[in-house]
Amino acid sequence: MKKLLLTLIFVASLSVFSQEHFTGLNTSSRTGILTAGFNPAELTNMTNHFETNFFGSSFTISNNKVGFADLMSNQNLKDLVFTGRDAANMRFDFETYGPGFAMKWNKWAFGITTKVVAKMDIVDIDTKIGEAVTNSVSNLLTTSTTTIANNYNQRVSGTTWGELGFTIARKVYENDNNKFSGGVTFKLLFPGSYANLGADQFHGTITSTTTGQTYMSTTSAHVNIAYSGTLANDFSNFSDYAKSLYGSLNGFATDLGCNYQWKDKVNHATKNSKYTNKYKLNAGISLRNLGSMTFKDANNKSTDYNLTIPPATPANPGLNLNQFNNTSSLIDVENVLIQSGYLHKTVSNKDFKVKLPTMLTVYTDVKIISKLYVSAYAQKKVNPDNENDQVTSQNILTLTPRFNSGYFEIFSPWSSAEVSGITGGLGIRVGGFYLGSGSVVTAVLNDTKQADLFLGFRWGFL
């Protein structure tokens, strides 16, 4: 357990990733496969008649404790994460679009996409518990006893899966000034690996001794321990994420979207240019990731427990948290708790379902003057992150000014994210190549609790 938490803390210290995926680029008028990933109806606005996607990757990390300035200091990261009264939250996301193809035909547009996703999360971990488990004695534990009472579910989880998507979009109505479109994406899901440790309604006492031992007593909680695939064996081994990105077909999801354009009159000499922006306003709404996937593996298990530890006595001070120092898998954590005699099984399932991060997305891109645009993007999660069978997502609001000459585009996204707060970044697009970060500006000018990078290449023709 200690290794598991410290691995997530280490991930948060990497300064090459973070934020939501493809920030700022997702509302560009250079529409194609990537844009359809946010709203399938956008495929009817595809810049070219045909597009081939080669790759598009986005790495994502957010946290609410460690800032960029902290990474430059000599402070201990685990002391920074598990300090203060606010629960610790971190989100690590990796998303890569693989080979894909899209085409327009009359009023219709069709697309085939491939994608892999990996996520690792800390959700609402009480700082006192995290500090005790990692043996980081600080001001929170200077006294011999600390009492904890939480009425929410704390989670440490990891998930990997692959997707094969089929998009159909159609122009519903179009005249000289307006255009309405709708679209749907059907996704086949290939769950790879999963691990979850949840502690709901945790009430207990943590006692530290002068000998360096830490005990938990007078404790009650509802605990869920679930695992499948390689993440069951070693949660802290990053190579296991890469090994288990794709599994067998065992899930289905849907994206739904609609789009409106207030069309712009263009010069006759340029109206056929594939890069010409032909709208004054482009707006859309979509509901993404409606679905779930079932994890099945030889080592599959999802078990609900009641954790009950009696008050401490001289003969029995409680559960010794030092036992978790060398555990790196949920199987190890589960075995330690079962052997302690404090964990009591209530429900156990061999196979289990995990819900995708369903999100409501609303956006608009407005032409201010020639080649200058400003877009607003809002993302709202539908389900709470505290549920044990839920893949996490974030609420986010982004404002992006952009200069778009057609072939060349430069943009600066500014976001307010649920976990990490305000970030500002910079990105460029040259034809089908793009590179950007949603937090590089705030990392340089100020402090930020995010870091991110996205890049990719797609080729449109005809």
Side-chain angles (χ1 to χ4, degrees), residues 178 319 359:
N178 305 285
L319 176 65
M359 293 170 284

Side-chain angles (χ1 to χ4, degrees), residues 132-357:
V133 171
T134 57
N135 279 341
S136 175
V137 179
S138 70
N139 291 332
L140 291 177
L141 297 177
T142 52
T143 58
S144 60
T145 301
T146 301
T147 301
I148 300 171
N150 295 321
N151 295 317
Y152 53 83
N153 189 29
Q154 305 172 66
R155 297 180 62 200
V156 178
S157 67
T159 317
T160 66
W161 75 92
E163 297 180 3
L164 176 61
F166 301 91
T167 300
I168 303 174
R170 190 182 190 279
K171 297 177 187 178
V172 178
Y173 172 81
E174 184 177 20
N175 61 20
D176 291 340
N177 297 314
N178 305 285
K179 181 171 73 171
F180 293 90
S181 301
V184 59
T185 297
F186 302 100
K187 302 180 193 177
L188 303 179
L189 305 179
F190 301 83
S193 192
Y194 182 76
N196 181 77
L197 174 61
D200 192 16
Q201 303 294 314
F202 183 95
H203 295 75
T205 300
I206 295 176
T207 303
S208 56
T209 68
T210 56
T211 60
Q213 301 298 305
T214 306
Y215 295 94
M216 185 178 290
S217 61
T218 320
T219 299
S220 64
H222 303 300
V223 176
N224 173 263
I225 299 177
Y227 43 78
S228 177
T230 58
L231 292 185
N233 302 319
D234 192 346
F235 193 95
S236 61
N237 190 344
F238 279 95
S239 64
D240 286 339
Y241 283 81
K243 292 176 184 176
S244 60
L245 289 175
Y246 262 104
S248 301
L249 174 61
N250 222 322
F252 179 79
T254 304
D255 295 350
L256 303 171
C258 58
N259 171 259
Y260 166 74
Q261 282 192 356
W262 178 16
K263 297 165 68 175
D264 193 11
K265 295 181 179 180
V266 296
N267 187 288
H268 179 75
T270 61
K271 69 178 181 179
N272 293 321
S273 170
K274 66 177 68 176
Y275 294 110
T276 300
N277 300 297
K278 300 181 180 179
Y279 61 76
K280 295 180 180 178
L281 181 146
N282 183 64
I285 183 171
S286 63
L287 192 60
R288 297 155 50 199
N289 294 328
L290 287 164
S292 63
M293 49 192 169
T294 301
F295 283 87
K296 294 184 177 182
D297 196 79
N299 63 351
N300 237 53
K301 188 162 68 169
S302 176
T303 308
D304 292 330
Y305 297 94
N306 284 329
L307 176 66
T308 305
I309 307 174
T313 65
N316 182 14
L319 176 65
N320 190 338
L321 298 181
N322 296 68
Q323 297 178 83
F324 298 105
N325 285 356
N326 297 318
T327 58
S328 59
S329 73
L330 291 188
I331 294 177
D332 294 339
V333 172
E334 186 176 33
N335 288 336
V336 169
L337 290 172
I338 290 174
Q339 292 169 12
S340 72
Y342 301 129
L343 203 61
H344 310 284
K345 182 189 298 185
T346 59
V347 178
S348 184
N349 298 299
K350 175 65 177 175
D351 300 327
F352 54 89
K353 285 187 177 182
V354 175
K355 292 179 288 188
L356 261 61

Side-chain angles (χ1 to χ4, degrees), residues 45-80:
N45 302 325
M46 195 163 60
T47 305
N48 304 91
H49 284 89
F50 301 94
E51 181 177 272
T52 299
N53 188 75
F54 291 92
F55 74 95
S57 293
S58 175
F59 296 88
T60 303
I61 296 174
S62 302
N63 82 96
N64 67 333
K65 295 289 185 176
V66 182
F68 185 79
D70 297 323
L71 301 179
M72 302 297 102
S73 68
N74 294 322
Q75 299 183 70
N76 190 309
L77 285 175
K78 62 183 180 182
D79 289 341
L80 293 171

